[in-house]
Amino acid sequence: MANALPVEISTTIQSLIAQHKNMPGALLPLLHAIQDTIGYIPEDSYLPISKGLALSVAEVHGVVTFYHHFRTHPVGKHILHVCRAESCQAMGSEKLEASIKAKLNIDYHQTTSDGAITLEPIYCLGNCACSPAVMMDDEVYGRMDNQKMAELISEARAS
Amino acid sequence: MIKVFVPRDSSALSLGADRTAKAIQQEAQKRGIEIQLIRNGSRGLFWLEPFVEVATENGRVAFAPVQPKDVAGLFDAYFLNPDSSMAKAHPLNLGLTEELEWLKKQQRLTFARIGITDPVSLNDYLAHDGYKGLANALKLSPAEIVKTVTDSGLRGRGGAAFPTGIKWNTVLGAGEKGVQKYIVCNADEGDSGTYSDRMVMEDDPFVLIEGMTIAGIAVGANQGYIYLRSEYPHALHILNEAIAKAEAAGYLGDNICGSNHTFKLEVRRAAGAYVCGEETSLLESLEGKRGLVRFKPPLPAIEGLFGKPTVVNNVISLATIPIILDKGAQFYADYGMGRSRGTLPIQLAGNIKHGGLVELAFGATLRELLYDFGGGSYTGKPIRAVQVGGPLGAFLPESQFDTPLDYEEFSKIWAVLGHGGIVAFDDTVDMAKMARYAFEFCAIESCGKCTPCRIGSTRGVEVIDKIINGTDVEKNTKLVRDLSDTMLNGSLCALGGMTPYPVLSAMNHFAEDFVPKPKSALKKIIDIVSA
Ligand SMILES: Cc1cc2nc3c(=O)[nH]c(=O)nc-3n(C[C@H](O)[C@H](O)[C@H](O)COP(=O)(O)O)c2cc1C
Ligand code: SF4
Ligand code: FES
């Protein structure tokens, strides 16, 4: 199975496994490290992970799929998270959400045709005093409106 | 050299604080003026971010909100010398920060340093009473530390309001002598409308580190974990930087401050599951598993992380320990009302004009918070509903706005304070939609272990949809109530067990919103729904 992965990815994963295997409760930190490094967690990595951490493949699969943060497929160059939780709803996030989808011409969990942006829902960014909020990669933006959103999207597309 | 402060808190950054900081630096350089730019935490007046301050002999003077386009004008008005007549006349000049009513009316204990210091400067922390609590703790026996915490009356700020000292005492007495124990900080802060944990971690990380260290010494744990939600990348970096500095200075690791105590600390990232904020689900997650809620007993205090005695406490609970150990149990217990002792960092959110962090002794009313601090709604329309305590908290109508913030008073009106988040909605809110969302959220986040929550939440969405569409309103209303009863009584944890709070409070207080459009037979349906 692991052979299905390109050699460099396979090597990267092996070295991350080696770095993490002796840590107590290693699986989540390892999965984070893999996703941070290669952008997602390939299903073909479950077998080497399970061997390294003495787990079953089913256990690894169960953990990856339990958590919203982990993804098993490559994503766009940037990830745009739109907050859907109550505080942002109180400030019109539903309309914002609809206009973002229309502008990008995609729904949640999809990537724009140019590969620039993947759209994901999120439930609170801790920026509720400045709702509605979104997060582009690791940066949070508050008091979003259509104009600020358009600027943010074109900046992301340009970079 | 003149000190200029521009916050680095995420909410300040979300409104452009980095760009403002850069503009100030560049303008100063251009004009050949030397300044010391400090990236402090936020004072928590988020509607005024980026909130720039200039140090003077009499204290800091605030200019806010400052956008990059304002910067040249501020220099033209000599804002670096706030006493000059031009700086005084500048429209963004708010005067001395300490004199701002919004701050003056607060009782900042846990947040005493926040917005004042540079979060990653250990020297700044020490200069502002940092590590005084630990110094006192090191002179006490473990049992005496625990007693101090018990006597302070501190109750867990994560939502369940369980007395912190009693929990610690259980862990102190658990297991054989020398058994491995853990301190776990619950930094999953998943509730919408809350950000006080985030502020502590980003704006004063050492206070959390100190609180956890004291907890470790008190119960005999030498290892701590901070379980941090993955949505907080800035907090992750700041915590790691602060931990490294505390280690280098001998405040973490072996022989803390020359004592024979060891305490090590590590941040672990969560992965976007709301239920992992529930303490046993959190422990499963820390162990590297799916976040399925555990049956209790055993309590985590007896069999917690990796089966060992474990303290699980919220960020605010732990960050409040240092001031209790510094100033004494009585000092803290003197604040508050009834059995709610001390202060609560309240977070104003949603449709509110002046959103931000208000730390107050328990006892203030919702109305004071919404209007005196919050300034009413952001949109200027009437505030119709507020949700207190996150997605599992009840919606309160105007008629309940005089309820004091106190655990028991809230429970009397079938509501919760939770983690202290207050989300305001104006009169455009559709409460049937909010009730539907409560079920939807529960369905998305359910860990799946018990049927009432897993199946009930999905059924709830369908049934509310039917009510909204006007299909068999009477029958379906009864169905929602029955379903809610089953969830209330038959769920293993509060995710399923409290989803009925927002749902039923929306139906009870805002029945008119559950009327199908067109609004025919309005009165009859109101009677049915609210019965
Ligand atoms: C679904 C669910 C989510 C929770 N989320 C959090 C959370 O994000 N942060 C938190 O501190 N407590 C949360 N709690 C409460 C914890 O289970 C636990 O009571 C708390 O961490 C104990 O710490 P404390 O006594 O200091 O409040 C949650 C509970 C439930 C049922
Ligand atoms: S109530 Fe829901 S989240 Fe809680 S244990 Fe049951 S299924 Fe899991
Ligand atoms: S609800 Fe959107 S940031 Fe908190």
Side-chain angles (χ1 to χ4, degrees):
Chain A
M1 250 168 106
N3 304 344
L5 288 169
V7 183
E8 54 297 8
I9 290 189
S10 182
T11 318
T12 305
I13 289 174
Q14 284 299 351
S15 81
L16 290 172
I17 293 171
Q19 279 169 38
H20 286 82
K21 64 188 290 182
N22 294 323
M23 207 179 197
L27 187 51
L28 262 76
L30 173 60
L31 294 174
H32 274 296
I34 293 175
Q35 183 159 300
D36 287 349
T37 315
I38 61 180
Y40 68 107
I41 300 162
E43 286 175 4
D44 287 327
S45 67
Y46 295 175
L47 185 63
I49 292 173
S50 69
K51 282 188 181 153
L53 268 50
L55 300 166
S56 72
V57 170
E59 280 171 303
V60 178
H61 172 81
V63 169
V64 174
T65 52
F66 182 86
Y67 295 97
H68 304 300
H69 179 79
F70 295 132
R71 44 182 186 260
T72 53
H73 297 285
V75 283
K77 213 166 144 206
H78 301 282
I79 302 185
L80 175 60
H81 283 102
V82 181
C83 180
R84 290 197 66 218
E86 291 91 337
S87 173
C88 289
Q89 289 177 35
M91 287 298 288
S93 63
E94 276 196 343
K95 275 194 196 132
L96 182 72
E97 176 178 40
S99 82
I100 292 171
K101 286 181 182 174
K103 184 162 176 64
L104 297 177
N105 201 18
I106 50 173
D107 205 338
Y108 282 130
H109 315 299
Q110 296 178 346
T111 301
T112 51
S113 53
D114 61 356
I117 297 171
T118 299
L119 189 64
E120 294 289 344
I122 203 156
Y123 296 87
C124 195
L125 292 161
N127 197 30
C128 328
C130 312
S131 292
V134 305
M135 181 154 92
M136 183 72 88
D137 301 324
D138 274 357
E139 292 307 321
V140 179
Y141 299 84
R143 290 275 185 256
M144 292 311 284
D145 53 29
N146 286 342
Q147 194 203 326
K148 282 179 160 181
M149 214 48 243
E151 284 166 21
L152 190 59
I153 289 171
S154 38
E155 271 172 36
R157 285 206 151 123
S159 70
Chain B
M1 209 182 322
I2 299 163
K3 286 184 180 168
V4 180
F5 298 83
V6 182
R8 61 178 293 181
D9 175 277
S10 284
S11 280
L13 298 180
S14 88
L15 298 176
D18 269 348
R19 272 178 284 137
T20 299
K22 199 167 153 201
I24 291 174
Q25 195 105 57
Q26 283 174 346
E27 196 65 33
Q29 218 158 31
K30 204 167 99 190
R31 298 181 186 227
I33 305 171
E34 270 198 77
I35 58 165
Q36 186 187 355
L37 186 72
I38 296 165
R39 303 304 301 273
N40 57 332
S42 171
R43 302 268 190 169
L45 298 79
F46 288 122
W47 76 100
L48 290 175
E49 291 288 357
F51 188 94
V52 175
E53 291 173 283
V54 179
T56 74
E57 276 178 2
N58 305 320
R60 293 182 199 166
V61 174
F63 294 85
V66 178
Q67 301 300 338
K69 66 171 169 45
D70 303 318
V71 169
L74 282 168
F75 275 88
D76 287 344
Y78 304 103
F79 86 120
L80 294 176
N81 175 13
D83 288 333
S84 66
S85 56
M86 277 177 81
K88 276 202 166 115
H90 195 281
L92 295 182
N93 187 333
L94 302 178
L96 289 170
T97 309
E98 305 290 341
E99 294 301 319
L100 292 172
E101 272 299 295
W102 210 80
L103 280 172
K104 257 175 98 170
K105 285 190 296 192
Q106 302 195 27
Q107 285 113 31
R108 289 206 167 180
L109 305 184
T110 310
F111 275 63
R113 256 174 312 267
I114 287 186
I116 296 172
T117 52
D118 171 350
V120 289
S121 163
L122 182 55
N123 287 338
D124 231 6
Y125 185 66
L126 293 170
H128 290 83
D129 295 338
Y131 278 117
K132 282 192 176 167
L134 178 66
N136 286 344
L138 286 171
K139 293 180 215 145
L140 301 175
S141 71
E144 285 168 334
I145 303 175
V146 171
K147 184 170 184 308
T148 305
V149 175
T150 308
D151 292 346
S152 76
L154 177 68
R155 292 161 74 180
R157 301 288 188 244
F162 187 82
T164 305
I166 295 182
K167 185 184 283 186
W168 288 20
N169 200 43
T170 309
V171 179
L172 173 62
E176 302 286 301
K177 199 174 177 315
V179 69
Q180 176 69 52
K181 295 178 186 177
Y182 297 102
I183 307 297
V184 171
C185 171
N186 189 339
D188 204 40
E189 195 164 66
D191 291 357
S192 168
T194 69
Y195 45 81
S196 59
D197 293 351
R198 180 185 62 66
M199 286 183 75
V200 164
M201 295 185 286
E202 290 181 352
D203 300 351
D204 196 16
F206 289 113
V207 80
L208 175 60
I209 297 171
E210 182 182 350
M212 290 184 73
T213 308
I214 296 171
I217 292 169
V219 305
N222 63 11
Q223 176 70 48
Y225 291 101
I226 299 173
Y227 184 81
L228 174 69
R229 69 196 303 244
S230 54
E231 292 84 347
Y232 287 173
H234 288 289
L236 174 70
H237 296 129
I238 293 178
L239 281 171
N240 280 333
E241 192 177 336
I243 288 171
K245 286 186 178 160
E247 273 170 4
Y251 287 103
L252 281 175
D254 295 321
N255 304 111
I256 288 171
C257 299
S259 73
N260 56 3
H261 293 287
T262 297
F263 190 69
K264 294 182 178 159
L265 189 52
E266 198 183 316
V267 185
R268 288 289 177 94
R269 284 160 78 193
Y274 177 76
V275 71
C276 287
E278 193 283 333
E279 57 184 8
T280 62
S281 163
L282 185 158
L283 294 173
E284 289 287 298
S285 183
L286 265 181
E287 290 180 9
K289 303 176 196 154
R290 290 184 296 154
L292 297 187
V293 173
R294 294 179 185 170
F295 290 101
K296 284 193 261 190
L299 290 173
I302 310 284
E303 280 179 43
L305 186 62
F306 303 114
K308 304 295 183 202
T310 303
V311 168
V312 184
N313 269 142
N314 171 255
V315 174
I316 300 293
S317 315
L318 289 162
T320 302
I321 298 298
I323 194 162
I324 293 173
L325 267 296
D326 176 14
K327 302 256 167 93
Q330 196 55 44
F331 168 85
Y332 192 73
D334 281 345
Y335 292 86
M337 74 175 270
R339 288 177 47 226
S340 306
R341 307 316 311 170
T343 58
L344 181 67
I346 299 145
Q347 303 123 88
L348 294 177
N351 198 324
I352 194 93
K353 195 166 161 202
H354 298 158
L357 192 290
V358 183
E359 182 174 355
L360 284 180
F362 286 92
T365 66
L366 262 181
R367 197 178 298 279
E368 290 172 303
L369 282 150
L370 293 170
Y371 295 99
D372 297 354
F373 285 96
S377 75
Y378 181 81
T379 47
K381 297 179 175 178
I383 297 179
R384 182 161 175 248
V386 297
Q387 186 176 31
V388 184
L392 307 174
F395 288 101
L396 311 185
E398 223 309 321
S399 60
Q400 295 183 326
F401 288 180
D402 293 311
T403 313
L405 274 79
D406 165 84
Y407 295 115
E408 280 66 40
E409 290 298 320
F410 263 61
S411 109
K412 278 185 204 158
I413 58 164
W414 209 63
V416 292
L417 273 185
H419 186 46
I422 299 181
V423 179
F425 295 83
D426 73 8
D427 62 2
T428 59
V429 66
D430 177 346
M431 295 304 294
K433 229 172 166 179
M434 298 315 298
R436 183 190 192 278
Y437 173 81
F439 274 133
E440 185 192 351
F441 184 72
C442 181
I444 296 171
E445 300 297 338
S446 170
C447 86
K449 190 149 172 171
C450 45
T451 323
C453 169
R454 191 183 64 238
I455 311 282
S457 51
T458 307
R459 281 286 283 143
V461 174
E462 295 163 9
V463 182
I464 297 256
D465 277 341
K466 285 188 187 152
I467 298 176
I468 295 173
N469 293 330
T471 315
D472 285 335
V473 176
E474 192 163 358
K475 190 185 110 203
N476 284 312
T477 300
K478 186 167 178 309
L479 208 57
V480 174
R481 291 189 180 276
D482 289 348
L483 200 60
S484 295
D485 256 4
T486 310
M487 289 175 74
L488 272 166
N489 300 314
S491 300
L492 183 57
C493 86
L495 181 50
M498 284 178 60
T499 293
Y501 276 65
V503 172
L504 296 182
S505 59
M507 290 170 68
N508 293 341
H509 301 306
F510 305 94
E512 62 274 22
D513 284 14
F514 292 77
V515 171
K517 336 284 181 256
K519 305 204 173 194
S520 54
L522 180 105
K523 176 77 178 71
K524 189 169 154 249
I525 290 168
I526 289 180
D527 290 345
I528 296 170
V529 176
S530 62

